[in-house]
């Protein structure tokens, strides 16, 4: 049996549960399955997947699960210490026990997708799939064939959400690996403002596959800050396609931080459709051992006077492999746009690898674009300066590595997130660096 | 404690130090003065262990140990600390990280454990306040975006926290206005003690009005050509360096 067929056969297990689904959903599932079958898993001949081998996914027999069991104590240890509106999913299954929507203000709808579909499936069916169709990739097609759960976030015009909205995805150490296909839909009304944190984390030893599709629609002047923090265990596999639509003056600020996962592929696409729309892609990835992290971003300047900024930093150790592909497309009549892009990578080992590729396609003539990519080692002058203060070379290098990551994290104004990332990065650095204690000191001073 | 004997140093093929001899005892404050190009910065760089300086002859010992055989960090851990003329900006490395890591490295080298967090906090806050700096400064990256005066204060702050046995300050007065100079001088003067040596390297006499040295040496063309007390600095101020060069070495 082919890999593709083995995946599709799992659909049959759900046929009973899906009896009575609205016809539009059934039709999309069929279209998704057909598209997935036609495309198959991407191999290296597919340009978009040239540097990423997905056989760790395609060759594994992932099961489906209906259980959201997870101990409160171990969930608490994984959860970001944040006062937040929180939805939790365990291997893709909604857990109401680990969720908290008790203080949701008026004008804000945050729901598990299954519940939203039950209440008013037509209101979901309109926007869902409008940005990310089955054509986008084999994985988006696969998601469309399988999706059942996920999150719906709707903000009424003018709503400013006081606390961050956390979508937490927990991965379990199951006996057999499972797959989930979460679907997230965010609709932000005009001039609404919110912070959404998508947090992927799991139990030691978890080796599941998450295949996420997320669509974000920002109406005029809406302002969304979006964190995607992947701290999954090292055998976990993760593919995410995030598609953003920005109307006039809409702001989208992304922090895409990957610290875990065995194979992580992120596609972030923004359509800048109205004048004054602005997207900022911030990214940080840290790969160790044989981790593979692939980030593809795309800014579509579909309207004049639109802005895109990108700053991605990668740190790769051991035999880790990083891929960065940042694409900017400027349409013919999109004059007076500004696009800047930078990708800097730090290789801590001779066997670590980075493939970085900025791509600019510009069909307008009055534009301001810049891009740059650097890959290198640490500033030797700084290493010397630290050593003259008594720090041994390893500690000096560790501190400078932490500092390199910090340049992205400086833009984060949620202490719980930046401290978590800083502690994780410090902890990932070889133990002899003793950096965790230092970071704790800084955190303590901050709280003082 | 610091003995420099007949030191010859070559940089990129040309000899900069040509037989420099200097001896500093605990409790003494020495000042090395000299015109541009005399080799003042080369001396500090060699003692700190910077790359690109070749010692062709002579020796440097600190408390009897061969400094040139020590790793860069071992010199600092042993209590030999240099304050730079141009402190390096280290983006992203918070001052508090540097201070804590440096202090712990020193303690570890002495066989002591890590400094307890409350003790460390108390210590650095006290020193920061002494240097008339704000606490927020501890969360800022080392020297990044600092003014010239802030960088120099930061060098002294490190000295106050690390309490070296021998503090070498390379042109610590350059680029300072008079108020910053006073703060820096107060910092250095607070380091004066009978078991600590201080070596000031400076172009101008001005600093020595605030930090009065016990010994002044004139470095010209890679060699110390004249030594004397604090009054020598004043003489250099009024007469320039030329007369020293012309007179035979004392």
């Amino acid at each position: 049996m082919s890999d593709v067929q083995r995946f599709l056969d799992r659909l049959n297990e759900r046929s009973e549960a899906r009896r009575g689904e609205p016809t539009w959903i059934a039709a999309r599932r069929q279209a998704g399955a057909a598209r997935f079958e036609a495309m198959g898993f991407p191999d290296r001949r597919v340009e978009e997947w040239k540097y990423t081998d997905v056989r760790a996914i395609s060759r594994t027999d992932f099961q489906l699960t209906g259980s959201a069991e997870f101990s409160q104590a171990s969930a608490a240890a994984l959860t970001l210490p944040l006062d937040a509106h929180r939805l939790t999913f365990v291997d893709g299954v909604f857990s109401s026990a680990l969720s908290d929507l008790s203080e949701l203000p008026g004008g804000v709808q945050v729901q598990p997708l299954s519940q939203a579909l039950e209440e008013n499936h037509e209101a979901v069916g309109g926007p869902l799939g409008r940005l990310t169709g089955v054509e986008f990739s084999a994985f988006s097609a696969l998601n469309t064939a399988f999706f059942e759960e996920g999150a719906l976030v709707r903000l009424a015009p003018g709503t400013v959400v006081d606390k961050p909205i956390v979508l937490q995805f927990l991965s379990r150490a199951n006996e057999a690996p499972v797959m989930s296909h979460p679907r997230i839909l965010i609709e932000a009304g005009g001039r609404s403002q919110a912070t959404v944190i998508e947090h992927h984390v799991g139990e030691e030893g978890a080796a599941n596959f998450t295949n996420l599709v997320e669509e974000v629609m920002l109406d005029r002047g809406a302002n969304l800050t979006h964190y995607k923090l992947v701290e999954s265990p090292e055998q976990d596999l993760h593919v995410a396609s995030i598609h953003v639509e920005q109307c006039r003056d809409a702001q989208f600020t992304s922090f895409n931080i990957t610290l875990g996962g065995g194979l992580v592929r992120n596609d972030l696409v923004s359509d800048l459709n109205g004048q004054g729309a602005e997207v900022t892609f911030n990214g940080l990835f840290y790969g160790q051992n044989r981790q593979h992290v692939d980030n593809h971003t795309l800014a579509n300047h579909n309207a004049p006077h639109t802005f895109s900024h990108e700053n991605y930093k990668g740190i790769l150790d051991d035999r880790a492999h990083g891929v960065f592909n940042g694409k900017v497309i400027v349409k013919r009549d999109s004059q007076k746009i500004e696009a800047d892009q930078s990708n800097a990578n730090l290789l801590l080992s001779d066997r670590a690898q980075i493939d970085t590729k900025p791509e600019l396609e510009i069909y307008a003539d009055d534009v301001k674009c810049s891009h740059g990519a650097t890959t290198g080692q640490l500033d030797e002058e700084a290493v010397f300066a630290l050593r003259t203060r008594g720090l041994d070379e390893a500690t000096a290098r560790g501190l400078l590595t932490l500092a390199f990551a910090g340049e992205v994290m400086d833009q984060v104004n949620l202490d719980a997130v930046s401290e978590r990332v800083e502690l994780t990065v410090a902890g990932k650095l070889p133990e002899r660096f003793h950096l965790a204690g230092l970071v704790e000191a800084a955190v303590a001073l901050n709280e003082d | 404690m610091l003995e420099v004997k007949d030191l010859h140093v070559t940089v990129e093929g040309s000899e900069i130090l040509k037989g420099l001899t200097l001896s500093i005892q605990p409790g003494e404050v020495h000042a090395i003065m000299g015109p541009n190009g005399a080799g003042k910065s080369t001396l500090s760089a060699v003692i700190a262990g910077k790359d690109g300086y070749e010692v062709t002859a002579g020796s440097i010992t600190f408390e009897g140990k061969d400094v040139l055989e020590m790793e860069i960090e071992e010199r600092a851990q042993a209590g030999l600390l240099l304050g730079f003329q141009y402190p390096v900006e280290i983006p992203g490395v918070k001052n508090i990280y540097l201070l804590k890591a440096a202090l712990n490295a020193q303690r570890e080298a002495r066989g002591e454990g890590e400094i307890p967090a409350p003790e460390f906090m108390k210590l650095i806050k006290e020193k920061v306040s002494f240097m008339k700096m704000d606490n927020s400064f501890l969360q800022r990256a080392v020297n990044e975006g600092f003014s010239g005066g802030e960088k120099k204060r930061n060098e002294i702050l490190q000295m106050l926290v690390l309490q070296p046995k021998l503090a070498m300050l390379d042109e610590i007065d350059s680029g300072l206005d008079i108020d910053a100079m006073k703060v820096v001088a107060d910092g250095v003067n607070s380091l004066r003690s009978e078991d600590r040596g201080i070596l000031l390297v400076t172009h101008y006499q001005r600093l020595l009005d605030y930090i009065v040295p016990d010994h002044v040496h004139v470095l010209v063309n890679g060699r110390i050509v004249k030594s004397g007390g604090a009054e020598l600095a004043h003489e250099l101020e009024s007469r320039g360096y030329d007369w020293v060069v012309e007179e035979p070495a004392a």
Side-chain angles (χ1 to χ4, degrees):
Chain A
M1 186 176 17
S2 74
D3 292 338
V4 166
Q5 198 53 51
R6 183 163 32 75
F7 271 75
L8 288 176
D9 279 355
R10 293 265 172 217
L11 272 174
N12 301 331
E13 293 172 23
R14 303 295 300 155
S15 56
E16 196 61 36
R18 284 170 182 164
R19 207 178 297 274
E21 262 183 350
T23 47
W24 67 266
I25 296 183
R28 292 210 196 159
R29 285 197 199 292
Q30 256 176 20
R35 184 64 194 159
F36 174 66
E37 194 169 9
M39 289 178 94
F41 284 101
D43 61 27
R44 292 179 175 224
R45 284 169 297 187
V46 179
E47 180 63 25
E48 294 288 296
W49 294 85
K50 192 171 169 183
Y51 301 108
T52 295
D53 184 342
V54 301
R55 282 178 296 184
I57 297 169
S58 64
R59 292 192 173 168
T60 306
D61 185 13
F62 295 105
Q63 303 187 359
L64 296 170
T65 180
S67 150
E69 258 177 66
F70 207 93
S71 95
Q72 289 273 357
S74 48
L78 298 171
T79 299
L80 285 170
L82 261 179
D83 184 18
H85 309 295
R86 183 176 281 110
L87 280 183
T88 298
F89 304 89
V90 177
D91 289 336
V93 181
F94 175 63
S95 162
S96 74
L98 297 173
S99 298
D100 181 6
L101 298 173
S102 57
E103 291 173 33
L104 219 50
V108 185
Q109 187 183 354
V110 178
Q111 276 185 308
L113 187 70
S114 57
Q115 197 183 323
L117 284 167
E118 219 164 277
E119 284 177 13
N120 185 352
H121 72 85
E122 278 160 348
V124 177
L128 192 111
R130 192 162 66 74
L131 301 181
T132 312
V134 298
E135 302 295 323
F136 182 76
S137 71
F139 290 101
S140 73
L142 186 65
N143 174 288
T144 308
F146 277 91
F147 85 91
E148 284 184 21
E149 193 52 281
L152 176 83
V153 176
R154 264 199 203 113
L155 310 174
T159 315
V160 176
V161 189
D162 54 340
K163 298 192 284 191
I165 298 163
V166 174
L167 308 176
Q168 175 173 252
F169 294 85
L170 303 177
S171 186
R172 259 180 315 211
N174 298 300
E175 274 173 34
V178 302
M179 62 176 167
S180 61
H181 304 271
R183 192 93 192 190
I184 299 172
L185 180 62
I186 301 175
E187 290 181 278
R191 298 178 328 282
S192 62
Q193 269 184 51
T195 295
V196 172
I197 302 172
E198 203 190 302
H199 186 207
H200 299 267
V201 65
E203 290 178 322
E204 181 92 26
N208 304 308
F209 170 43
T210 303
N211 177 30
L212 181 138
V213 171
E214 178 169 357
E215 294 165 279
V216 180
M217 295 157 198
L218 306 180
D219 211 339
R220 281 190 163 209
N223 187 336
L224 190 80
T225 302
H226 183 274
Y227 291 85
K228 181 169 190 284
L229 176 58
V230 177
E231 293 188 289
S232 312
E234 254 181 58
Q235 298 304 316
D236 236 38
L237 308 164
H238 183 99
V239 175
S241 310
I242 300 175
H243 208 136
V244 187
E245 176 189 64
Q246 298 182 242
C247 296
R248 190 177 179 127
D249 296 328
Q251 302 262 340
F252 183 72
T253 305
S254 155
F255 290 93
N256 178 17
I257 301 158
T258 303
L259 305 175
L263 167 62
V264 177
R265 161 70 180 241
N266 288 303
D267 279 275
L268 275 93
V269 181
S270 170
D271 290 328
L272 298 158
N273 291 347
Q275 294 201 15
E278 181 167 24
V279 61
T280 306
F281 290 128
N282 299 297
L284 173 67
F285 53 97
Y286 189 151
Q288 289 179 297
N289 302 321
R290 285 173 171 272
Q291 282 181 283
H292 182 101
V293 184
D294 178 349
N295 286 307
H296 271 61
T297 66
L298 169 60
N300 280 313
H301 289 265
N302 296 332
H305 296 283
T306 50
F307 310 93
S308 68
H309 316 282
E310 177 151 38
N311 182 22
Y312 264 67
K313 294 209 166 205
I315 302 167
L316 297 163
D317 201 356
D318 307 318
R319 302 185 68 170
H321 187 178
V323 181
F324 170 80
N325 188 297
K327 196 168 181 174
V328 172
I329 300 179
V330 183
K331 287 254 169 71
R332 224 185 97 218
D333 294 317
S334 298
Q335 305 295 1
K336 307 275 183 198
I337 70 98
E338 286 181 31
D340 54 76
Q341 185 186 88
S342 135
N343 168 230
N345 302 297
L346 194 57
L347 301 181
L348 301 182
S349 126
D350 292 345
R351 302 172 90 180
Q353 189 185 337
I354 177 81
D355 290 288
T356 174
K357 187 173 168 195
E359 283 185 85
L360 298 178
E361 282 181 29
I362 303 170
Y363 304 101
D365 48 28
D366 186 8
V367 304
K368 217 162 111 185
C369 294
S370 68
H371 67 86
T374 58
T375 296
Q377 283 82 36
L378 297 165
D379 176 2
E380 291 304 322
E381 211 185 331
V383 174
F384 172 75
L386 291 173
R387 291 179 71 194
T388 65
R389 293 299 173 259
L391 277 64
D392 62 68
E393 193 170 344
T395 306
R397 290 184 184 281
L399 259 185
L400 291 169
T401 305
L402 190 63
F404 180 82
E407 285 170 47
V408 171
M409 299 315 296
D410 281 351
Q411 311 301 315
V412 172
N413 53 18
L414 279 173
D415 287 348
V417 176
S418 54
E419 283 163 10
R420 175 75 159 253
V421 172
E422 205 170 1
L423 279 169
T424 308
V425 171
K428 275 175 170 290
L429 290 164
E431 219 166 276
R432 62 180 192 278
F433 291 180
H434 296 303
L435 293 182
L438 289 183
V439 176
E440 281 158 16
V443 169
L445 184 76
N446 222 9
E447 283 162 1
D448 204 29
Chain B
M1 59 202 314
L2 182 77
E3 301 288 339
V4 181
K5 282 189 187 140
D6 191 31
L7 190 68
H8 290 254
V9 176
T10 301
V11 181
E12 286 172 1
S14 57
E15 195 174 50
I16 306 294
L17 294 184
K18 301 168 182 173
L20 186 144
T21 295
L22 178 70
S23 172
I24 299 178
Q25 303 308 316
E28 294 178 350
V29 177
H30 289 242
I32 294 184
M33 302 184 69
N36 287 329
K40 298 193 299 290
S41 292
T42 299
L43 177 64
S44 327
V46 170
I47 296 176
K50 203 167 170 62
D51 271 352
Y53 295 83
E54 195 191 344
V55 176
T56 52
S59 66
I60 306 173
T61 58
F62 180 64
E63 295 189 319
K65 279 180 282 186
D66 184 352
V67 170
L68 298 172
E69 286 298 312
M70 295 161 88
E71 294 289 346
I72 297 159
E73 58 269 29
E74 285 171 351
R75 301 175 195 200
Q77 288 164 6
L80 186 55
L81 211 61
L82 173 69
F84 289 98
Q85 180 180 5
Y86 302 110
V88 178
E89 296 196 8
I90 312 179
V93 174
K94 291 174 185 167
N95 266 301
I96 188 169
Y97 290 0
L98 171 57
L99 291 170
K100 188 159 191 228
L103 190 59
N104 280 332
Q106 198 187 66
R107 290 170 67 106
E108 205 176 302
R110 288 199 301 251
E112 299 167 16
E114 279 195 20
I115 184 166
E119 197 182 313
F120 174 70
M121 291 300 174
K122 187 166 170 281
L123 173 73
I124 51 172
K125 282 181 182 171
E126 180 194 314
K127 302 300 184 190
V128 162
S129 138
F130 186 86
M131 289 308 290
K132 300 190 165 50
M133 296 159 98
D134 189 88
N135 269 342
S136 66
F137 156 93
L138 290 166
Q139 296 282 1
R140 287 172 64 188
V142 179
N143 295 326
E144 193 183 25
F146 286 19
S147 69
E150 284 176 323
K151 285 182 183 173
K152 295 298 170 71
R153 280 187 207 194
N154 201 18
E155 294 294 283
I156 303 300
L157 174 71
Q158 291 167 15
M159 298 273 174
L160 294 185
V161 171
L162 297 174
Q163 298 280 315
K165 290 178 186 164
L166 180 74
M168 301 183 291
L169 300 162
D170 189 8
E171 308 254 356
I172 197 71
D173 50 334
S174 68
L176 292 189
D177 62 30
I178 197 72
D179 292 329
M181 172 104 85
K182 281 181 185 161
V183 175
V184 163
D186 284 348
V188 176
N189 283 326
S190 79
L191 282 168
R192 292 182 92 141
S193 82
E194 59 187 30
D195 47 16
R196 177 175 295 120
I198 295 176
L199 174 60
L200 304 165
V201 175
T202 180
H203 188 84
Y204 300 105
Q205 180 267 336
R206 191 176 68 150
L207 176 72
L208 307 183
D209 285 343
Y210 297 94
I211 310 168
V212 180
D214 304 307
H215 303 275
V216 173
H217 311 277
V218 184
L219 179 66
V220 176
N221 196 19
R223 239 182 252 129
I224 287 176
V225 295
K226 194 171 182 65
S227 297
E231 72 290 344
L232 179 56
H234 290 278
E235 207 170 346
L236 290 166
E237 180 74 359
S238 54
R239 295 177 66 186
Y241 286 106
D242 291 347
W243 64 277
V244 194
V245 183
E246 282 149 21
E247 269 186 20

